[in-house]
Amino acid sequence: MEWVRGDVLGHGSFGSVHLAIPRKFSSQFPSLMAVKSSADGYSITLKNEKEILDKVGFCPQIVRCFGDDYSVENGDRVYNLLLEYASKGSLADQVKKNNGHLQESDVRRYTRSLIKGLQHIHAKGFVHCDIKLQNVLVFDEDEVKIADFGLAKKSGDEQSRCECRGTPLYMSPESVNDNEYESPCDIWALGCAVVEMMTGKPAWNHKQESNLFNLLIRIGVGDELPIIPGELSEEGKDFLMKCFVKDPKKRWTAEMLLNHPFVCVADGGDGNEFVRKKGSEEISTSPRSPFSFPEWKSVQSSATTSISENSKFDSLLTSGDCLMDRIRLLACDEKPSWSDSESWISVR
């Protein structure tokens, strides 16, 4: 495909980003794209991004790749990677435009999309390794998609002990301590992104001029956790606690988080807007009567168990039937007595 390089959109460690305009109309390509370009000798990151995107395949929550090519500019051979163009920039840009923070209803919606993207990436056997607001792009319909796969890797692949991936403020304890980059590190970074969407500030209280080594010590050693915003709902705080588990084996997965109330309920302002699935399609509805609630499938249970307040969310969310499990928590074994007719009231 022939294309023309347009205005500069930004710069990165890999090179530059420009608008790309196809020379001829084609139904296979959009009228505007973004092209990442780098001198061929320094294009290993972009080539890794192309390879990962090809293997991960299509997902509505992941930026699409339209191919790559080479060009010669100012006598140098340049590698070009053609991608979807996001007209609204990154989530970091949106936070700045909205007085340094987003509404919780928007944070819930964006977070759900990010989890879906991560679930797809992890299911395909890959780890993004650099989830942060700057790497999440916002499109015309206010959709968000995960981008920048230059540091992504195949899950399980060993790497040099000297190799470091990602952004320090988003790094997980196991990445700092053991140089381990597997799917749980993306979940930790997701939690950091949620904090930043809510507050406009990094999850760790760390000034740019401060010693980076001290930050890594705080992340990797001891019991200190990232800041959990006080203005966040109880569901949001619990969601973050599932992301900020020091032990990666106990940290919740993307699949588990997708059933958490923080994202399986899209708050429409009054808390009554539910998100449910019908086949592969998601439907948002506001119940107008007791009979218009989503049709959740029940799970058979041989016994009623008592659940402590601390483990309430954990047991509630291990299945996708959030609503029915919530009702079970309120149910008891005592049956009503219908024999006392004196307390009955006649109605017409």
Side-chain angles (χ1 to χ4, degrees), residues 289-330:
S289 76
F291 303 101
S292 61
F293 279 87
E295 297 176 359
W296 302 91
K297 294 182 180 179
S298 63
V299 175
Q300 296 297 324
S301 176
S302 58
T304 302
T305 58
S306 63
I307 302 176
S308 68
E309 192 65 24
N310 290 336
S311 63
K312 185 176 179 182
F313 273 123
D314 289 355
S315 59
L316 175 66
L317 301 169
T318 50
S319 77
D321 305 280
C322 301
L323 195 59
M324 289 305 296
D325 285 341
R326 193 187 300 273
I327 293 173
R328 283 196 194 93
L329 292 177
L330 302 175

Side-chain angles (χ1 to χ4, degrees), residues 226-265:
I227 297 170
I228 294 182
E231 63 269 32
L232 194 58
S233 66
E234 291 304 314
E235 290 175 344
K237 292 174 183 176
D238 186 81
F239 179 91
L240 288 178
M241 291 304 296
K242 301 300 184 285
C243 296
F244 295 146
V245 177
K246 287 274 189 176
D247 185 347
K249 294 179 181 178
K250 297 179 181 179
R251 199 173 302 149
W252 277 30
T253 65
E255 187 174 2
M256 294 166 69
L257 288 173
L258 202 55
N259 290 319
H260 194 284
F262 183 63
V263 294
C264 78
V265 177

Side-chain angles (χ1 to χ4, degrees), residues 123-305:
K124 291 292 184 177
F126 291 92
V127 188
H128 187 280
C129 296
D130 199 19
I131 293 293
K132 59 183 178 181
L133 298 191
Q134 290 83 352
N135 290 344
V136 179
L137 301 184
V138 187
F139 290 76
D140 287 336
E141 301 300 322
D142 213 26
E143 297 176 295
V144 295
K145 300 188 181 187
I146 299 173
D148 290 287
F149 284 74
L151 296 179
K153 64 179 280 287
K154 179 73 175 175
S155 181
D157 280 359
E158 294 185 4
Q159 58 188 43
S160 166
R161 295 291 298 176
C162 298
E163 186 178 357
C164 181
R165 293 172 182 262
T167 304
L169 282 169
Y170 287 79
M171 289 179 71
S172 64
E174 68 271 18
S175 298
V176 172
N177 293 333
D178 306 313
N179 209 41
E180 182 180 312
Y181 299 92
E182 297 299 331
S183 56
C185 80
D186 284 343
I187 301 301
W188 181 280
L190 171 69
C192 294
V194 171
V195 172
E196 196 165 342
M197 279 190 276
M198 282 297 302
T199 66
K201 299 176 183 178
W204 291 98
N205 184 14
H206 175 79
K207 297 179 180 179
Q208 279 189 325
E209 63 272 13
S210 300
N211 191 309
L212 180 59
F213 179 76
N214 291 337
L215 170 64
L216 297 178
I217 290 295
R218 291 170 63 197
I219 295 173
V221 180
D223 298 325
E224 185 180 2
L225 294 175
I227 297 170
I228 294 182
E231 63 269 32
L232 194 58
S233 66
E234 291 304 314
E235 290 175 344
K237 292 174 183 176
D238 186 81
F239 179 91
L240 288 178
M241 291 304 296
K242 301 300 184 285
C243 296
F244 295 146
V245 177
K246 287 274 189 176
D247 185 347
K249 294 179 181 178
K250 297 179 181 179
R251 199 173 302 149
W252 277 30
T253 65
E255 187 174 2
M256 294 166 69
L257 288 173
L258 202 55
N259 290 319
H260 194 284
F262 183 63
V263 294
C264 78
V265 177
D267 191 351
D270 56 5
N272 288 327
E273 186 178 3
F274 291 85
V275 175
R276 62 188 175 97
K277 290 185 178 181
K278 185 176 181 181
S280 60
E281 179 186 4
E282 287 191 354
I283 305 173
S284 290
T285 60
S286 293
R288 295 290 182 252
S289 76
F291 303 101
S292 61
F293 279 87
E295 297 176 359
W296 302 91
K297 294 182 180 179
S298 63
V299 175
Q300 296 297 324
S301 176
S302 58
T304 302
T305 58

Side-chain angles (χ1 to χ4, degrees), residues 60-107:
Q61 291 79 32
I62 295 175
V63 166
R64 291 180 62 191
C65 176
F66 298 107
D68 60 348
D69 66 13
Y70 291 91
S71 60
V72 177
E73 301 178 24
N74 298 321
D76 295 325
R77 181 176 166 86
V78 176
Y79 176 75
N80 304 299
L81 183 62
L82 295 160
L83 302 161
E84 267 187 292
Y85 168 60
S87 61
K88 293 187 176 181
S90 70
L91 259 184
D93 297 328
Q94 292 301 307
V95 169
K96 291 178 182 178
K97 290 177 182 177
N98 286 274
N99 300 317
H101 66 91
L102 301 176
Q103 296 295 322
E104 182 167 331
S105 57
D106 291 327
V107 175

